[in-house]
Amino acid sequence: MKSLFLQVYLVFLVLFFSAFFLVYLFTQLTLRSVITQEINSSLSVMWQSVASLVQEEDFQYDEEIMVNFRRGTGSFLKVLKDGKPIELQPDKSVLNFPSKYGLFLFEINGRQFAGYGNNYGNYYIVVYKDITDKKALSEEFSKKFVIGWLTLLFLYTLIAYPLWRFSFRVVRKLAQRIKESNPAKLEGLDERVPSELKPIVESYNRLVERLSTYLNTQKFFFYHLSHELKTPLSIIRTSADLALSRQRRPLEMRELLLSIRDAVDRATQTLEKLLLLYRLEAQNVIPKKEKLELRALVMDVLKEFKQLIESKNLNVEVFQDNFEVEGDYELVHSLFSNLIENAIKYSFPNGTIRVHKRDTCLVIEDEGIGISEEDLKKVFEPFFRSEQAKQEEGLGLGLSISRAIVNIMGWHIHIHSSPNKGTCVKVCVKNF
């Protein structure tokens, strides 16, 4: 593919040539039109003069009249009466000139002539004029115009080419800057560039920003993945070593196997949640558009936590109205599963959890340990857990996943809380 510089240069060259050619064509046609009108006008005047003379009786040109006519007008004349030529002295060669009606052009012995002929009574009058000098004027104009155009084209090539290359120096600098960029540390370009290039630079900087965020997200997840898997893997290795170190009784072996299973479950849960959060943060999830009934979905989630609810003797109140939304069932189920699980885990025993509808929002309220104002600013950060929350098992990923889900769905989530008084989580949907 040709370079952008060469393409732009050639486009302007074609435009320059086209504009010059149109100017030449317009000027040439205008000049020819003016010359033709001037010739037609002068011949018409002479024709009228001759027509006024032939009105006289016994009209006849003599030598003196013919000489004076030629000297005064620089023209030739032919007059026919009843189809027969009248004696025209002293130049009979005019009789060989063509006889036509209206304005006409012809050439004799390399010279250009224009004639105008018409009937006048029983006379036919033709006036001729040598227009060689006027044709030469038009040709000379065309010649000089072409020479001028070629000169300007040469000057354009001589001057414009370096100027265009100079104007593209900014593009070359940008290309060199991008080429020298360090993939490990991407940096944006200086936006102090010509206005024509600013959209490109701004788009590149936005791309760099997104790539930096993506790379930082990758580093973050890989770091925490290795950190979170280290403990369950250590438990699995230790339990396996103990089981293999000597002969164990069935009860001891069962305890070690249960320990391994619990560690595997924890590692699996950590991996699944991290991968889900990673996919959500990287926007690799395209939500489905399904009709969902939120009350039925909430009831399904509560069934999954039935044992935990009964162990804490919690009272759960759920709204009775239908609440239809459009969304992805798996994502929405994961969203409310995280929120309801948090409400159950951090509720005080014998407390109440309320799930109710408020306008276009679903509200989940508990009477648990709550969250301080300072910690509320960090609750959506992955792996963040307040000191009070660390008393319960968890990874600190639930609210991060919840926020990522509502962002993808185009919904909104708000949390209000007070320590030891409970937490209120409000999820507002886009459509219902």
Side-chain angles (χ1 to χ4, degrees), residues 178-207:
I178 294 172
K179 183 179 179 180
E180 295 173 353
S181 297
N182 184 359
K185 187 180 179 182
L186 295 173
E187 295 180 354
L189 301 174
D190 189 351
E191 296 189 2
R192 290 175 297 178
V193 295
S195 58
E196 293 82 2
L197 297 177
K198 198 162 187 178
I200 299 175
V201 174
E202 290 176 347
S203 298
Y204 175 81
N205 288 343
R206 285 195 296 269
L207 176 61

Side-chain angles (χ1 to χ4, degrees), residues 122-133:
N122 57 344
Y123 290 96
Y124 173 77
I125 305 170
V126 189
V127 181
Y128 305 94
K129 188 172 185 179
D130 190 336
I131 60 169
T132 303
D133 57 338

